[in-house]
Structures are given as structure tokens and as C-alpha cells.
Amino acid sequence: GMKMRLKRWEVVLKYIVEDYIESAEPVGSKTLLKNHKLQYSSATIRNEMAYLEDLGYIEKTHTSSGRVPSTEGYRYYVTKLRSEKIDKSIKYEIDRLVDSCTSIEDLLYSSCEMLSNMTRLACCYLGPNVFDERLAKVEIIKLASNKFTFLFITDRGYLENKTFVEKEDKIKRLIECVNKLDEEITSVRLVNIFEKLNEVKANYQDYISEFDYITKLFVSMLKDFLIKRNSQFYGKDYLLDQPEFKDNIVSTRSIVSLLSHPYRLNRMFTENEETVISIGNGELKDITIITKDIKVPSSNQNIGKIAVVGPTRMNYEKVLQYLEYVVKMVAFHLSDLERKEYGR
């Protein structure tokens, strides 16, 4: 549709943000005039820049006379000034990749990797909040005289299993204990599992050591489950190569710690909005994180989100266009895969 006409200061802000994204160099009035053949005098531009500075949308740097966008300036740009069209050739790339995926996991991880390569930023897939899942089944299967597999399945169909070595008579007792336990703890949310175990412990006087053993198994397996379900970041190196972080030990440290614990992002984003853009929050002051929920149209199920992490000086227009389109295609494709996998 028709865009609202931009005010003069909005035009100037849009160009400052876009030039700075492009060059990583502070932007002055002369550069703006030269780059954009603006119809205003340089005095007019300087006035608009002074006004933008009063609004808190741009700020001075120590090193040069130019200006850089502030966190607020980026926020304004993202909500009001960016355009939303996406290049046809990019659409084609995305469609082609999405169509070649044969499993849901493959689709989620490949699309993150592709997004990371397209945006030259770090991307990851965050599973739905794992703790909302409920336990559907717990079982111990004896494999050999001294080996058993402990497994649990959640109501979303995720399975975690691990094999242990133990004496034969011990395995027999563990199986008895788990069979009794299975009825008591199914449909408990994973987040409440230990509370529940504490609650029912009194009923296991004959199996005290087995009960404690099984509790320990849960502890170690839930940790694996969390880490596995909240995937790895793609494109960490892209991020660390950005000029902002090249020599900045402090912000590099906070980024590296974020990149090594992707599931922390889940805690940061509990809002119910579909797209959340967090620009320079908390200790991550040079960082923007954009997450978008993936909703499967056929079942309206939210199956997690894709997160893009970059410097606050990122190409928002491009990143958001790519992210929005990738998520849309992934969601449609998931509907197809769901029908195939579950024969719906």
C-alpha cells in the first residue's frame, strides 16, 4: 500500500541508519548529501540532525564529528521506516531449500544455517519452552544381562534415552520400581518432575535406593534433553568478525557466553508477540536479538522460534525480510511434513 509520507527528520534518520549499517562509520551531513543527492541544504540537514539528537535517536561518538544511531533510533527505524519487500531471487533460494528438506528437524536446522549465511549473523532454532512439555512415558528396557536403557517420552513425542551398565539383580529391581513409578508421574510437566518425585517418595520404602538412582537418571537426562532441544548457533564467527566486537573484550565475552547457552534466549523472550526485537538490552548493549515464532498453520501449534543475533548496527530491513519469509515458508512446509509424518 501507499507509505505515509515521511517527515524530513525521518528521511534523515532513515539514511543515517542505513549508511551507518553499511559502513560502520559515523555519518556526517556532507556524507548524507553526497550519498543521497538530497534536495536540502547542508544547514537544513544539520538542523534536522540536531533535532534527531535532541530526540535521542542519534548520538555523537568520541572519535569523529559524525553521528551514529542510538538504540532508540534503531527501534524507531525498525518500527516506522524500513521497507518490507523481499528480492525475488532470495525468495527462490529460500523456497528451494525449504522444499528439499525431508524431516522437521532438517527443515529447522537448515533454515537457520541458510539465514545465518544470508544475513552473515548468528542464528539458531529455539525449541518450544521445553518445560511446558509433560511426561508421557518412563521405561527401563533390559538390553543384556548387565545393560539397560532408561527412556522417557514427552507428550510432544520427543524421546530421550541413555544406556547404563549395572548388575543384573539391580536392573530387575529398577524395572519394578519404574513400572510402579510410570503410573504416578506421567502427565506431570517436566519442570515439576522433581517436586512430584519428592511427593511420592514415601510410597517407595521397599525401593529406596532404586528410587534415588532413578531420580539421578532424570537429573542427568533432563540436562541433555534441554541442551539437545535448544540447538546450536550457526554463524558464530560471522558475529565475532563484526567491527564492534573485534577488539572489545567485554562485549565479546558476553556474546560468547550467550552463544554457548542458546536456551538462555528462551528465558529472555517470554512475550507472546510473534516477532520480538530486543535492541541493546541489559548487559548486551551492543547486541540486537530478533526472534520470530514458528506457527504451524494446519494445527496452529507453536513449535519454537528462530533467533537472529547481531550487532545493533545490523541491516534490519534485510534481516527482518529474510527472517519473516523463512519462517513463513518453514511454517507452510511444516504443515505438509506433519501430514506426511502423521498421515493426517
Side-chain angles (χ1 to χ4, degrees), residues 57 65 87 99 159 328:
Y57 287 160
S65 61
D87 182 344
D99 284 342
L159 174 129
K328 188 170 89 181

Side-chain angles (χ1 to χ4, degrees), residues 96-97 104 139 143 192 284 290 305 339:
R96 208 182 52 187
L97 175 99
I104 290 179
E139 195 172 358
L143 300 175
N192 302 333
L284 299 169
I290 304 179
K305 42 175 78 83
R339 280 195 292 275

Side-chain angles (χ1 to χ4, degrees), residues 55 70 158 181 211 216 263 271 315 338:
L55 287 176
S70 67
Y158 283 96
L181 195 60
F211 189 88
K216 282 203 189 76
Y263 49 91
E271 292 101 329
N315 188 332
E338 262 193 357

Side-chain angles (χ1 to χ4, degrees), residues 128 156 274 293-296 299-305:
R156 289 210 178 110
E274 258 182 57
D293 286 350
I294 308 169
K295 285 212 168 53
V296 184
S299 57
N300 205 16
Q301 203 191 6
N302 186 343
I303 66 142
K305 42 175 78 83

